[in-house]
Amino acid sequence: MAVNMVVNPNREVSHNPEKAYAQLFEELPPAKAWVEDLCSKGALRDTFIIANDGRRLHAVYAAANQPTDKTAFIIHGWADSAIRMMRYGYMFQHDLGYNIFLPDLNGHGLSEGKYAQMGWLDRLDVIEWLDVANDIFAPTDSLGNRTGNTQMVIHGTSMGAATAMCVSGEPQKPFVKAYIEDCGYTSVFDEVSGDQHDENLMQMVIPIANWWCGIRHGWTFREASPLEMVKKSHLPMFFIHGDNDTFVPTWMVYPLYEAKPEPKEIWLAPGSKHACSYFDFPEEYTQRVQIFLEKYIK
């Protein structure tokens, strides 16, 4: 049961673009006019890649209104999609003037794959996508010849934040300059173990579920550890978490922050529940992100 809860979430909205857009516009009403404007200009586009194992993976992207080499690579959470992450796309593209690139993770949105990978194997797909995003937005001269790379920030929320942190511990692309993780978990083991009501039952179930996930899906709950990956990360990282988060409990941000070498910053959004910091404090969230990025992306 625990394995199924993690790797096989209900993705009804994720797989339905109309429902995803409806939720986006309900949660962030200004996004409706913004998306309509992007679509009318042909600025919001789809792209696909074929992963090494043959899966067809999908992403959406949009250039900034004014030419720039600044790009935000935005990663969605569990049972979510690139479309719903356009709430952060709005912040980066509309408010901060960044290009935006948003992939659908394995088994989400329009990407193939049956199961969620909880950020662990997703890190490998993201690493492939990073070069695609850089190729799309790399600066060019008047003849269209490439003259350099983008300056990229990787932003993730919840499972997307876990994905971002796992990517941060891998060898880095030269164009990646900073990370923002919003309400990510320390490890899949911690997340699954902490979200239970019958502690005695889970002491029996979790080890079996962990073993079965390794056999069935090729990774274990303990192996999927953003905490271990951030220990190897040396690029700047901004940690954001609601101080009333019970889905990914707030306590998880503290060991993550402590494990990450400098440079790093942290903000606890007062009273915010899971993945609600931006909705609760849109102006402050945007300002804090802008101030953080101005130190590392010029």
Side-chain angles (χ1 to χ4, degrees):
M1 181 179 177
V3 173
N4 191 58
M5 289 168 57
V6 171
V7 302
N8 193 26
N10 183 344
R11 285 161 285 177
E12 178 184 358
V13 174
S14 173
H15 287 317
N16 189 318
E18 290 185 2
K19 288 186 178 181
Y21 273 119
Q23 284 197 1
L24 170 66
F25 300 152
E26 180 180 356
E27 294 169 342
L28 188 67
K32 189 172 190 298
W34 170 66
V35 168
E36 289 175 347
D37 181 61
L38 289 177
C39 291
S40 69
K41 297 175 180 176
L44 185 59
R45 301 182 179 183
D46 297 273
T47 189
F48 295 85
I49 61 171
I50 304 299
N52 291 333
D53 61 2
R55 286 168 300 132
R56 190 170 187 254
L57 303 177
H58 169 260
V60 297
Y61 66 94
N65 291 330
Q66 299 297 325
T68 182
D69 66 350
K70 299 178 182 179
T71 297
F73 189 101
I74 305 168
I75 312 172
H76 69 76
W78 183 77
D80 220 324
S81 68
I83 290 173
R84 292 235 310 130
M85 283 297 281
M86 291 285 282
R87 57 189 182 269
Y88 300 102
Y90 178 86
M91 175 187 72
F92 278 108
Q93 200 269 1
H94 181 273
D95 295 336
L96 300 181
Y98 277 60
N99 309 307
I100 56 172
F101 190 97
L102 306 93
D104 281 323
L105 298 181
N106 185 76
H108 291 74
L110 299 182
S111 285
E112 293 181 345
K114 187 175 181 181
Y115 299 104
Q117 299 180 141
M118 298 306 294
W120 182 239
L121 299 185
D122 292 312
R123 81 192 192 282
L124 304 177
D125 293 335
V126 165
I127 289 169
E128 286 193 58
W129 274 123
L130 291 176
D131 286 323
V132 176
N134 185 56
D135 288 342
I136 289 171
F137 295 123
T140 58
D141 60 23
S142 59
L143 298 177
N145 298 311
R146 182 165 161 176
T147 59
N149 290 319
T150 60
Q151 299 185 82
M152 189 178 295
V153 56
I154 299 178
H155 176 289
T157 301
S158 193
M159 186 181 79
T163 306
M165 287 188 282
C166 288
V167 172
S168 79
E170 297 288 350
Q172 295 299 288
K173 305 287 185 180
F175 48 82
V176 175
K177 303 300 181 184
Y179 286 84
I180 300 172
E181 79 85 19
D182 185 334
C183 60
Y185 39 80
T186 48
S187 71
V188 174
F189 187 90
D190 290 343
E191 177 62 14
V192 174
S193 300
D195 190 28
Q196 311 298 334
H197 301 290
D198 189 332
E199 183 175 348
N200 291 329
L201 176 63
M202 296 319 297
Q203 285 179 350
M204 296 184 290
V205 171
I206 293 298
I208 296 172
N210 182 55
W211 170 82
W212 178 246
C213 190
I215 297 296
R216 180 68 176 81
H217 300 290
W219 57 271
T220 67
F221 294 172
R222 291 188 184 278
E223 178 186 16
S225 175
L227 180 63
E228 292 303 313
M229 296 301 280
V230 296
K231 293 177 181 179
K232 301 183 285 184
S233 173
H234 295 280
L235 288 177
M237 186 173 292
F238 187 18
F239 294 82
I240 299 173
H241 218 108
D243 74 358
N244 193 28
D245 192 339
T246 57
F247 189 76
V248 176
T250 304
W251 69 261
M252 290 190 179
V253 74
Y254 298 108
L256 287 167
Y257 179 76
E258 290 301 318
K260 167 73 173 69
E262 295 283 355
K264 58 186 176 181
E265 297 180 22
I266 188 171
W267 174 47
L268 277 294
S272 290
K273 296 183 178 181
H274 185 64
C276 289
S277 301
Y278 177 65
F279 295 121
D280 293 341
F281 304 98
E283 293 183 3
E284 183 174 2
Y285 192 111
T286 302
Q287 184 179 43
R288 286 179 178 272
V289 166
Q290 182 177 23
I291 291 172
F292 170 74
L293 291 178
E294 284 176 346
K295 300 172 185 177
Y296 307 106
I297 298 179
K298 306 298 183 182

